[in-house]
Amino acid sequence: MLPIFEIRADLEGTFIKRPNRFLGLVKVGHKIVEAHVHDPGRLPDVLIPGNRVLLKRANAKNRKTKYSLLAGKVKGNWIFTNSGYHRRLSGALLERLGEKIFPGLLKYEAEPRFDNGRLDYLLHFKDEDKLFVEIKSCTWAKEEVALFPDAPTTRGQKHLKHLIALREKGVRACLWILVFRPEAKCFRPAHEIDSKFAKLFKEALAAGVELYIHQLAYNGEKIFFKGSLPLCDFTP
């Protein structure tokens, strides 16, 4: 595995509960601390009462919470769940492995505009070709199948529609899935959670939207690149 990004946890504790979407209560020693949950999903097998979690101290003075939740332990693995680092992490992947993942990559720009919205990246290639990229992070799995999303996502549906619209204009477009489940053997859209997303996912592939799926692992100190994952067989 190739180390890509360093993010060291400061504390380990026991997850108690999630009072709301953005807040988690964690027992550290004899104290209960509040931690910001920077993930819009449900994290159904990560944020379970009694589960071990990792926290990072917040540097911002005006933060309501002193800590951010980084990861939770599932089947002996730390599952990285903090989407606040995804821009820097994906940037590190492009810097370290850009030409391996996207052959011929020359440079990239973040958050390019498309009509009335934005996507994550616009890649520029040596042959003057261009590729719009939208990234989705996957933190949920059943057995050895990585699944996204773990909660209905109108935002994710919107992004797929953007990618399809680009293809209809003859522009290259790509969905880049980052899977944070090291035990996964393949990936599929979670049609049992969001059937509309799964349907649009299939339509996007049929329209020529390119799909890249890469697997990452976290050990509490660094995030490692494991390689590519295949798409599972699925029927929306």
Side-chain angles (χ1 to χ4, degrees):
M1 294 191 299
L2 178 68
I4 295 295
F5 189 75
E6 184 171 327
I7 173 68
R8 293 177 180 270
D10 293 317
L11 293 174
E12 181 175 339
T14 301
F15 187 77
I16 298 175
K17 64 178 180 179
R18 190 178 185 177
N20 61 53
R21 180 180 174 186
F22 303 105
L23 181 65
L25 300 183
V26 179
K27 186 176 182 181
V28 179
H30 298 291
K31 296 182 179 180
I32 295 177
V33 302
E34 294 183 338
H36 178 62
V37 178
H38 205 302
D39 190 298
R42 292 172 179 165
L43 301 170
D45 61 350
V46 177
L47 297 189
I48 300 172
N51 200 25
R52 300 299 287 174
V53 294
L54 296 177
L55 306 180
K56 182 76 175 174
R57 287 190 181 87
N59 295 322
K61 294 181 180 179
N62 297 326
R63 276 273 302 261
K64 293 182 179 179
T65 53
K66 294 182 180 180
Y67 300 93
S68 293
L69 192 138
L70 284 185
K73 184 157 280 189
V74 181
K75 298 179 181 179
N77 298 312
W78 288 116
I79 308 304
F80 192 78
T81 61
N82 194 308
S83 60
Y85 289 91
H86 289 173
R87 171 69 66 215
R88 282 177 282 173
L89 171 59
S90 59
L93 280 166
L94 289 172
E95 289 292 333
R96 294 288 303 277
L97 297 171
E99 283 206 80
K100 179 179 180 180
I101 297 173
F102 301 101
L105 179 66
L106 177 64
K107 62 180 181 178
Y108 61 90
E109 57 182 284
E111 297 188 348
R113 285 193 173 277
F114 167 67
D115 290 346
N116 295 322
R118 291 181 183 272
L119 294 172
D120 285 314
Y121 288 104
L122 175 59
L123 307 186
H124 298 261
F125 295 88
K126 294 174 183 178
D127 61 0
E128 298 186 357
D129 200 3
K130 296 180 181 180
L131 175 65
F132 281 92
V133 179
E134 176 61 27
I135 300 173
K136 296 299 174 192
S137 62
C138 171
T139 58
W140 182 38
K142 286 184 177 180
E143 296 179 351
E144 295 183 335
V145 176
L147 299 160
F148 179 91
D150 67 5
T153 171
T154 54
R155 187 167 182 265
Q157 295 168 23
K158 179 182 177 181
H159 288 149
L160 287 178
K161 290 176 182 177
H162 281 173
L163 296 177
I164 293 169
L166 282 166
R167 289 301 303 138
E168 289 173 346
K169 294 182 178 182
V171 179
R172 287 182 68 195
C174 158
L175 182 63
W176 189 11
I177 307 289
L178 300 180
V179 176
F180 290 89
R181 299 297 295 241
E183 79 275 26
K185 300 299 183 185
C186 63
F187 166 87
R188 70 166 172 83
H191 52 78
E192 61 268 52
I193 299 297
D194 192 332
S195 59
K196 290 182 179 179
F197 180 89
K199 184 174 181 292
L200 285 166
F201 181 95
K202 187 173 183 179
E203 290 176 5
L205 296 187
V209 172
E210 299 168 38
L211 178 65
Y212 295 82
I213 308 169
H214 292 108
Q215 190 173 35
L216 304 166
Y218 181 56
N219 68 354
E221 296 183 358
K222 295 180 181 180
I223 293 176
F224 298 84
F225 179 82
K226 292 192 68 178
S228 300
L229 281 182
L231 181 65
C232 309
D233 292 331
F234 75 97
T235 302

